[in-house]
Amino acid sequence: MAAIDGLPPLRDVITRHGLDAKKALGQNFLLDLNLTQKIARTAGPLEGVTVIEVGPGPGGLTRAILSLGASKVIAIERDARCLPALAEIADFYPGRLEVIEGDALKTSFEDLATEGPVKIIANLPYNVGTQLLVNWLLPKTWPPFYQSMTLMFQREVGLRIVADADDDHYGRLGVLCGWRTNARMAFDVPPQAFSPPPKVTSSVVHLEPIENPIPCLAEDLEKVTMAAFGQRRKMLRQSVKSIGGEALLAKAEIDPKRRAETLSVEEFCRLANCL
Ligand code: SAM
């Protein structure tokens, strides 16, 4: 495996620092630095960019991001055992890596980065990945504090993120992502690429915020998608009964015989705006 920097191989780092993977923290580490560079490259040019990374672990993706020229990486890691390994990377790239020990779910990301454009790049812990994505889609202000998000999820979640109407994976997540971002599937990563290997294939998705999404209140969009997809096989006149039923659908000029998965993001926004 080609070295991307003068630091030791990740397998040695993990052994030396005793970083046995903890399932409860979603720890599946990537050891191939060519693969972590491929993920980092999906985010586009990194020169002059501040990258926010969640869950650096032993630092495979962090090293790739730094080697590709990011001016700074701010990494939030919950597992204190990883900090000495990350400190070695910080020494190798002086002034360019800031590690914050903490829970990403309790981190105020808007307040973290103040310099230059910001990109989010992360191999997310599976147990909190979707919640983090939803938080990043619903920040206090829009356009958001970041230029793009390049994130690894279980493939199943990745398919839901990029799904459009008439796709079996289309649901609340697809509507939310489609409303505020252009989301695309970048590539799959097989279980064998990780240590330990997870049970399922993973996917890297890349999302770029839309500057002017359709005006709509997130909480209203959430209400309509929750009702409509709560009974996705039923006709809308039945599934949205609790939030206005046929009268709401008539106001939004949507045929009550249609099903949730056939509605475009624009139609969901129309429905939300008629609530
Ligand atoms: N980035 C590394 C890689 O690609 O090899 C590790 C990725 S591993 C899938 C997820 C990482 O997220 C672990 O290092 C884990 O300790 C960390 N983590 C789990 N929950 C977290 C949380 N709530 N906040 C911050 N980090 C978390």
Side-chain angles (χ1 to χ4, degrees):
M1 195 183 304
I4 62 164
D5 51 34
L7 287 161
L10 279 162
R11 207 174 279 285
D12 296 356
V13 174
I14 288 171
T15 310
R16 192 155 41 83
H17 292 282
L19 302 179
D20 309 322
K22 286 190 183 167
K23 207 172 172 193
L25 286 174
Q27 291 184 336
N28 300 98
F29 301 132
L30 288 170
L31 303 185
D32 180 347
L33 291 167
N34 292 315
L35 177 59
T36 56
Q37 273 203 338
K38 187 175 173 190
I39 297 170
R41 265 196 220 99
T42 306
L46 295 180
E47 288 84 8
V49 170
T50 296
V51 172
I52 293 183
E53 187 193 0
V54 167
L61 186 53
T62 321
R63 282 165 62 171
I65 296 166
L66 287 163
S67 76
L68 291 175
S71 56
K72 185 159 189 193
V73 176
I74 304 176
I76 297 98
E77 174 56 62
R78 199 171 166 189
D79 186 353
R81 295 179 311 155
C82 298
L83 302 188
L86 294 167
E88 288 172 8
I89 304 173
D91 287 345
F92 191 81
Y93 291 101
R96 289 174 59 198
L97 172 60
E98 182 186 337
V99 180
I100 300 173
E101 183 191 349
D103 183 346
L105 285 177
K106 296 182 185 150
T107 302
S108 169
F109 288 93
E110 276 114 322
D111 303 330
L112 279 186
T114 47
E115 279 167 43
V118 173
K119 294 185 177 182
I120 302 175
I121 307 178
N123 170 13
L124 291 173
Y126 291 146
N127 42 353
V128 296
T130 310
Q131 187 56 55
L132 281 170
L133 171 62
V134 171
N135 294 352
W136 288 326
L137 289 170
L138 304 175
K140 284 181 218 134
T141 54
W142 198 270
F145 60 94
Y146 55 85
Q147 255 186 11
S148 66
M149 299 187 275
T150 305
L151 306 171
M152 176 125 77
F153 291 94
Q154 288 167 290
R155 182 168 159 74
E156 186 62 27
V157 179
L159 289 171
R160 283 168 39 209
I161 289 169
V162 301
D164 285 326
D166 294 319
D167 179 327
D168 280 349
H169 293 91
Y170 188 52
R172 287 163 65 193
L173 199 54
V175 172
L176 195 57
C177 292
W179 172 45
R180 286 205 145 169
T181 71
N182 289 313
R184 70 176 171 85
M185 187 65 88
F187 57 91
D188 288 343
V189 180
Q192 314 84 269
F194 299 84
S195 173
K199 289 200 177 73
V200 294
T201 297
S202 302
S203 297
V204 175
V205 293
H206 182 75
L207 304 97
E208 293 187 359
I210 296 171
E211 207 171 312
N212 295 304
I214 300 167
C216 179
L217 281 179
E219 62 200 66
D220 288 339
L221 192 59
E222 182 69 353
K223 269 185 212 152
V224 292
T225 52
M226 212 153 85
F229 287 109
Q231 303 179 59
R232 62 186 296 142
R233 302 274 163 240
K234 299 240 167 87
M235 288 183 200
L236 287 166
R237 68 172 166 223
Q238 173 62 35
S239 57
V240 302
K241 217 171 193 168
S242 61
I243 54 165
E246 300 232 17
L248 174 70
L249 292 161
K251 201 167 155 196
E253 297 179 17
I254 290 171
D255 181 350
K257 292 198 197 96
R258 289 174 64 188
R259 292 181 170 76
E261 63 203 23
T262 70
L263 257 56
S264 65
V265 170
E266 189 270 328
E267 287 173 313
F268 268 113
C269 290
R270 219 160 69 209
L271 208 51
N273 286 330
C274 287
L275 268 183

